[in-house]
Amino acid sequence: MDARLNLFASPTVGKALKHIMAAGKVIKDSPLPAATQELVALRVSQINGCAVCLDMHTKEAAAAGETSVRLNLVAAWREATVYTEAERAALELAEQTTRMTDGAAIRVTDEVWANAAKHFDEEQLTALVLHISFMNMANRMNAVTQQPAGDYVPGQFH
């Protein structure tokens, strides 16, 4: 598959990516646990069908020591026993946020929000919301331009 646009050759994207990458670093360095960040990135990317983000975040998580079992079960996290209650709350919030335009009358339910707030302090919750939003933006940019996946090397963009 060939990309529809070469994002890295675009002066406009180059200028924007400086800010996007800086925002990503702020989220990465936030008090939200790194494992939670990678699991959320994977789940949001699965929902959005973003192969390049799945490639990146699977490899980054594995390089950071995440197990293949946990990585492989993210799509079925509800039935898997390998996630903490906090990770489950983050994954549920990520799913409802990502699917909020799928015709649901309720965007993020009060129950899902309260469960996330039970597991994360205000700063972590803020970082989680930013991270989910950031991943949705990156997924959409990559998916619409059909960026190819498979060649990512851990640490490539950090």
Side-chain angles (χ1 to χ4, degrees):
M1 174 174 71
D2 293 325
R4 290 177 172 161
L5 293 173
N6 181 348
L7 296 177
F8 294 104
S10 165
T12 300
V13 172
K15 290 176 189 174
L17 274 179
K18 289 179 187 175
H19 300 287
I20 291 168
M21 296 306 290
K25 177 134 176 55
V26 169
I27 296 165
K28 183 178 173 116
D29 294 343
S30 76
L32 184 65
T36 301
Q37 290 185 40
E38 293 299 346
L39 295 172
V40 164
L42 289 174
R43 188 65 192 123
V44 170
S45 299
Q46 288 171 340
I47 293 166
N48 289 325
C50 183
V52 74
C53 289
L54 286 167
D55 182 36
M56 176 190 304
H57 291 285
T58 299
K59 289 175 180 174
E60 287 291 348
E66 190 58 78
T67 68
S68 61
V69 170
R70 285 169 44 90
L71 294 176
N72 292 329
L73 288 174
V74 170
W77 64 268
R78 283 179 182 82
E79 294 81 21
T81 60
V82 297
Y83 304 107
T84 67
E85 289 303 313
E87 290 166 342
R88 290 174 177 285
L91 289 164
E92 181 69 16
L93 181 62
E95 283 191 7
Q96 281 198 0
T97 302
T98 300
R99 292 188 165 131
M100 64 192 299
T101 58
D102 289 354
I106 298 173
R107 306 286 171 114
V108 172
T109 65
D110 290 339
E111 177 182 84
V112 166
W113 182 262
N115 191 35
K118 183 171 70 175
H119 295 286
F120 299 101
D121 66 28
E122 190 166 318
E123 191 61 26
Q124 291 171 317
L125 198 53
T126 299
L128 179 58
V129 170
L130 280 171
H131 184 48
I132 295 165
S133 301
F134 183 86
M135 287 308 306
N136 274 287
M137 181 272 308
N139 289 171
R140 283 159 172 75
M141 183 174 66
N142 287 317
V144 76
T145 60
Q146 295 183 341
Q147 296 302 304
D151 296 330
Y152 182 78
V153 176
Q156 181 175 336
F157 294 130
H158 302 292

